[in-house]
Amino acid sequence: MMSRNLQLDEQGRLRHFLSIEGLKRALLVDILDLAESFAGVTEQTVKKVPLLRGKTIVNLFFESSTRTRTTFELAAKRLSADVLNLNITVSAATKGETLLDTLRNLEAMHCDMFVVRHADSGAAHFIAEHVAPHVHVINAGDGRHAHPTQAMLDMFTIRRVKGEFAPLTVAIVGDILHSRVARSQIHALTTLGVNEVRVIGPKTLIPAEVETLGVHVFHDLRAGLQGADVVIALRLQNERMQGALLPSEHEYFQLYGLTEDKLAAAKPDAIVMHPGPINRGVEMASDVADGPRSVILQQVTHGIAVRMAVMAMAMGTVPLGEGKAA
Amino acid sequence: MRLRLFGGRVVDPANGIDAPLDLWIAGGHIAAVGAAPDGFQAEREIDVSGHIVCPGLVDLRAHLREPGAEHKATIASETAAAVSGGITTLCCPPDTDPVVDTPAVATLIQRRAQKAGLARVRPLGALTQGLKGTHLSEMGALKAAGCVGVSNARQPLSNTLVMRRAMEYAATHDLTVFLHAEDPSLRNNGCVHEGQVSTRLGLPGIPEAAETVAVARDLALIRQTGVRAHFCQLSTAEAVRMVARAQYDGLPVTADVSAHHLHLTEIDLGFFDSQCHVQPPLRTERDRDALRAALAKGTLSAICSDHQPHESDAKLRPFAETAAGLSGLETLLPLSLRMVEEGVMPLREVIARLSQQPARLLGLKAGTLGAGAAADVCVFDPEAYWELDKRTLISRGHNTPFMGWQLKGRVNWTLFKGKIVFERGAR
């Protein structure tokens, strides 16, 4: 049942976009190339292309999100699709309807694509396994598992600034344990063939046997930043600050918060990224977030083009590997 | 009925027999193995050539869902599944609803089984009232009502003083304590083994230490109290090593393994296969190999099914929200027989861990073909290949990760107290 890759059709084309794991480098490059062609669209005065005209896309958010949902909505609208936003946390789930029943009801309304965010790891795979054959599923974040469109917009940003992936050393700093973003970034970076991926954080925030994903582990920030080309800080959820994972915000910032001083260990032209939203003074100092190394706002802008590319490819409305659509 | 089973190979570890012999049955008991008793007139003779004739299997742990979860299964439905897999004695844990903490519930379970008339069902009594871990249950009364041991099932017993007292009180009544070793704090909200797969899938993990910390605590208490104790379903190499050491030191400790832990590992989860959501979790290949070695060596003296039938909806959710457990009665024998095929241990040892040994752990006169014993007999074709298919599963629970597997070894007749309770093709 699980042997075939659920994300691809028989011809190896993208059908659902659930996780980076299991996708080939060429396909990731296709996404980036197509996004590049859409990036032009979003800068024009008329910001629309008619690729998904007549299609209905449902933003199915079981967990609240502003940024991700908004950029998915903009991406869908710029592809001329009709968009429905459903915030399920306050509707069906609270009435006891099962996830499968919610899906069946939406399918009955002839929707073409579900963009899903859910608090449970594996929720997007589960939905993709059970939807009707004509429905496509995009994972907009499932538990701690994956957030593949975020990872792809990060790759897009890295490629725009740095050009090639092969020579790069990328350091990911912070709460790797609970981060779906980090997992997807690691798969994307190793698939695209960067020189080295490092994860940096205290042992309480590094998942077991993370080396098996092809990364090097550092517990000391300066050592981990040594010679890095790209530094990605992860968001630290407020609730992680209590309990037995970390003693205090203060100590976390002292040891793992990005400052200009600590970034001196990285390459002089190193860039700093963050998936947002930032806790200033926790994951990084304000002067870093707003400074010349920061590409954080570019990440947000690129999110729209990358999500347009993923939606168009999954719907099969663009020929693979050629950004003809733009 | 007076029966003669002829042409088969009798494998009866309890009596040291492994030979082509006839089996003679009368009045619900084994009349003789080998030569016919004087003047024996069989009413039916069954040609079992090419088959293994062994004692009816004894399953140390099967959740039969009654009372309390009849929407999943019933004692009648699951004992029918059991006998189709050669199992004639089942021990069920006390976590029913209501809990087996009163003689009435223990009696009800045995009566329901008697009414179904297919297999022997004996409950474990609750170690604490309501399995809540605070007040001792009335173990004396539970024993008198037929409970073959006491257990807190999968409910954590985090108060170490209560555990000590419960062990002392069980020892007073000469009851074996069945322990599910898992530290609830370390388990936290975990649902899979903590390791490369939990990291890859982003699922909360259950570390090896959740098991070893609990085993270490319980071993210290066993040493102190002198209670006879049994660890249910060990899953880690380290816990097995600790139990082997305790056995070497002479502690009255035994342990078992479930059939699926002998085959599956964390890798089998693939992309969130909820059929592989089990408790304890599927661990690493190294752990699986250690479980196999410990089974061959005898540290683990029984193989159980840990049968947990579920309705299909229970598995149709995102992984962490699915119910744990698999339907295992009908795969217990063939999965165990693979240990022979894969060179882990000889056939008579596998049969012993499915009959004589678990019967001894439960203090039951089962798992033997000795003259005078109840005629509980399993007759299987060791060369028959078959595919596990939900259309032919008898259990109400179709939740099994082994669906579609090619299995070898198939039960064709099962006798319970001398009565043919299962005959393939006769259904």
Side-chain angles (χ1 to χ4, degrees):
Chain A
M1 175 174 162
M2 297 289 165
S3 55
R4 78 204 157 83
N5 191 334
L6 192 61
Q7 305 192 74
L8 304 177
D9 67 11
E10 288 80 10
Q11 282 78 46
R13 288 180 306 221
L14 198 66
R15 187 165 124 67
H16 306 297
F17 193 57
L18 309 174
S19 67
I20 304 285
E21 189 189 0
L23 298 182
K24 289 197 166 75
R25 183 187 298 195
L27 198 138
L28 300 190
V29 171
D30 284 344
I31 294 172
L32 296 179
D33 291 347
L34 185 59
E36 197 66 60
S37 71
F38 284 140
V41 175
T42 61
E43 284 151 18
Q44 288 162 14
T45 37
V46 178
K47 298 186 177 64
K48 279 204 178 196
V49 287
L51 279 174
L52 299 187
R53 188 156 52 204
K55 302 286 185 187
T56 306
I57 294 177
V58 184
N59 276 331
L60 200 52
F61 278 56
F62 294 87
E63 205 183 59
S64 59
S65 150
T66 309
R67 180 173 330 216
T68 304
R69 209 210 60 214
T70 311
T71 50
F72 264 113
E73 186 176 346
L74 272 177
K77 285 182 171 164
R78 287 183 184 171
L79 291 167
S80 311
D82 296 317
V83 186
L84 188 65
N85 288 314
L86 286 180
N87 192 352
I88 309 287
T89 43
V90 293
S91 67
T94 50
K95 293 178 194 157
E97 186 177 67
T98 71
L99 182 49
L100 221 45
D101 286 334
T102 305
L103 283 184
R104 294 281 174 263
N105 277 285
L106 289 169
E107 268 175 18
M109 299 172 201
H110 300 288
C111 299
D112 301 288
M113 175 176 275
F114 294 146
V115 175
V116 183
R117 153 121 1 148
H118 197 286
D120 280 323
S121 299
H125 275 84
F126 173 77
I127 289 169
E129 261 169 34
H130 291 98
V131 289
H134 70 276
V135 178
H136 305 275
V137 179
I138 308 283
N139 186 1
D142 62 325
R144 306 177 186 179
H145 172 239
H147 194 351
T149 58
Q150 174 71 44
M152 288 312 291
L153 74 88
D154 295 335
M155 298 308 111
F156 185 85
T157 306
I158 293 171
R159 193 174 78 163
R160 272 213 157 175
V161 180
K162 295 288 177 189
E164 292 293 308
F165 287 101
L168 300 180
T169 295
V170 182
I172 306 173
V173 186
D175 183 2
I176 314 291
L177 177 64
H178 300 96
S179 177
R180 53 190 171 214
V181 173
R183 281 174 177 78
S184 286
Q185 286 168 340
I186 290 168
H187 283 303
L189 290 165
T190 53
T191 305
L192 289 166
V194 296
N195 175 52
E196 186 185 354
V197 183
R198 300 172 181 170
V199 296
I200 309 170
K203 287 192 174 185
T204 47
L205 298 180
I206 302 285
E209 298 174 36
V210 71
E211 300 85 350
T212 56
L213 298 179
V215 301
H216 291 122
V217 179
F218 290 79
H219 303 301
D220 179 85
L221 181 62
R222 281 174 208 273
L225 292 183
Q226 201 66 47
D229 299 282
V230 177
V231 182
I232 303 172
L234 297 172
R235 179 174 164 77
L236 190 71
Q237 303 285 341
N238 290 328
E239 62 265 26
R240 312 284 182 227
M241 279 302 177
Q242 291 118 37
L245 286 167
L246 289 172
S248 66
E249 271 181 27
H250 175 75
E251 180 152 309
Y252 183 82
F253 183 68
Q254 289 299 312
L255 296 176
Y256 298 103
L258 294 180
T259 59
E260 282 299 338
D261 175 48
K262 290 174 192 154
L263 282 165
K267 289 226 180 104
D269 63 344
I271 55 169
V272 172
M273 304 173 71
H274 192 294
I278 310 174
N279 292 310
R280 288 166 184 262
V282 181
E283 298 116 18
M284 64 175 70
S286 276
D287 59 342
V288 172
D290 303 329
R293 294 173 182 279
S294 169
V295 295
I296 294 169
L297 289 177
Q298 294 172 50
Q299 288 175 267
V300 180
T301 309
H302 297 157
I304 299 166
V306 167
R307 284 169 178 135
M308 286 170 76
V310 169
M311 286 177 167
M313 273 177 73
M315 290 278 228
T317 51
V318 283
L320 189 75
E322 300 159 285
K324 281 181 186 164
Chain B
M1 179 140 67
R2 300 164 75 84
L3 282 170
R4 175 190 174 215
L5 306 186
F6 69 97
R9 170 182 161 197
V10 174
V11 179
D12 178 17
N15 295 290
I17 295 171
D18 181 354
L21 293 167
D22 289 1
L23 193 68
W24 307 85
I25 293 161
H29 293 84
I30 306 288
V33 181
D38 286 343
F40 193 98
Q41 290 289 326
E43 292 160 66
R44 184 172 169 196
E45 301 201 333
I46 304 175
D47 181 353
V48 295
S49 45
H51 286 67
I52 305 279
V53 178
C54 71
L57 310 184
V58 179
D59 190 354
L60 273 186
R61 194 155 39 267
H63 295 74
L64 305 180
R65 303 303 191 197
E66 196 178 351
E70 289 85 351
H71 63 290
K72 292 183 188 287
T74 63
I75 289 171
S77 73
E78 301 315 285
T79 50
V83 295
S84 79
I87 302 162
T88 52
T89 300
L90 301 102
C91 178
C92 57
D95 53 351
T96 45
D97 181 17
V99 166
V100 188
D101 59 0
T102 59
V105 181
T107 305
L108 172 107
I109 289 170
Q110 292 170 91
R111 283 219 184 110
R112 293 270 161 90
Q114 274 157 17
K115 193 170 163 228
L118 298 170
R120 187 180 295 103
V121 175
R122 298 291 289 274
L124 293 179
L127 191 63
T128 57
Q129 289 177 30
L131 302 175
K132 292 202 171 87
T134 51
H135 292 78
L136 301 189
S137 65
E138 295 182 351
M139 296 184 209
L142 290 170
K143 187 180 181 183
C147 291
V148 287
V150 281
S151 170
N152 221 53
R154 291 216 150 268
Q155 296 302 311
L157 213 167
S158 40
N159 185 326
T160 311
L161 178 62
V162 175
M163 182 59 110
R164 180 197 166 171
R165 299 290 189 229
M167 285 184 176
E168 287 172 336
Y169 195 68
T172 307
H173 294 283
D174 193 30
L175 281 162
T176 304
V177 176
F178 288 75
L179 300 162
H180 290 267
E182 189 174 73
D183 182 285
S185 307
L186 285 171
R187 182 220 158 90
N188 200 7
N189 60 348
C191 59
V192 296
H193 172 66
E194 181 182 289
Q196 55 170 319
V197 173
S198 70
T199 290
R200 188 171 63 83
L201 298 180
L203 290 169
I206 304 172
E208 174 193 75
E211 183 163 291
T212 53
V213 164
V215 167
R217 177 194 76 163
D218 292 348
L219 283 174
L221 292 172
I222 292 161
R223 196 181 294 270
Q224 174 103 43
T225 60
V227 72
R228 195 170 56 241
H230 179 85
F231 287 103
C232 303
Q233 284 180 280
L234 291 183
S235 67
T236 65
E238 190 56 23
V240 164
R241 198 188 62 75
M242 293 160 76
V243 169
R245 173 69 206 209
Q247 289 171 340
Y248 176 81
D249 289 346
L251 287 192
V253 177
T254 49
D256 70 70
V257 62
S258 56
H260 49 275
H261 280 96
L262 294 171
H263 294 283
L264 304 177
T265 68
E266 55 176 349
I267 304 295
D268 290 292
L269 264 72
F271 281 96
F272 305 101
D273 183 358
S274 61
Q275 301 298 352
C276 287
H277 184 189
V278 294
Q279 260 183 297
L282 301 174
R283 304 240 184 221
T284 66
E285 203 171 304
R286 181 179 150 265
D287 292 308
R288 184 194 61 186
D289 292 347
L291 293 173
R292 289 178 166 205
L295 183 70
K297 203 175 141 220
T299 308
L300 302 172
S301 49
I303 311 170
C304 72
S305 72
D306 193 36
H307 179 67
Q308 297 189 45
H310 286 296
E311 75 282 17
S312 59
D313 279 354
K315 292 284 188 185
L316 284 176
R317 294 159 207 263
F319 189 94
E321 289 180 23
T322 56
L326 56 78
S327 178
L329 292 172
E330 290 157 81
T331 48
L332 176 63
L333 179 65
L335 290 178
S336 301
L337 290 173
R338 277 201 180 205
M339 295 297 99
V340 183
E341 197 83 354
E342 296 181 20
V344 176
M345 56 204 294
L347 177 67
R348 63 175 183 283
E349 293 291 328
V350 171
I351 302 289
R353 279 156 185 67
L354 290 170
S355 57
Q356 175 202 9
Q357 308 253 30
R360 194 166 62 190
L361 291 170
L362 299 172
L364 295 174
K365 290 192 190 88
T368 169
L369 295 178
D376 301 347
V377 188
C378 163
V379 182
F380 66 93
D381 179 351
E383 299 302 323
Y385 285 95
W386 58 290
E387 187 180 309
L388 193 65
D389 180 338
K390 81 175 170 197
R391 288 167 303 181
T392 52
L393 267 180
I394 293 171
S395 168
R396 286 258 202 95
H398 290 176
N399 50 303
T400 162
F402 299 105
M403 203 64 84
W405 276 42
Q406 284 290 320
L407 299 168
K408 192 182 178 194
R410 194 166 210 197
V411 174
N412 282 331
W413 289 274
T414 303
L415 280 67
F416 173 58
K417 293 183 180 172
K419 196 176 96 188
I420 298 170
V421 287
F422 175 75
E423 186 167 13
R424 188 162 303 280
R427 289 180 69 239

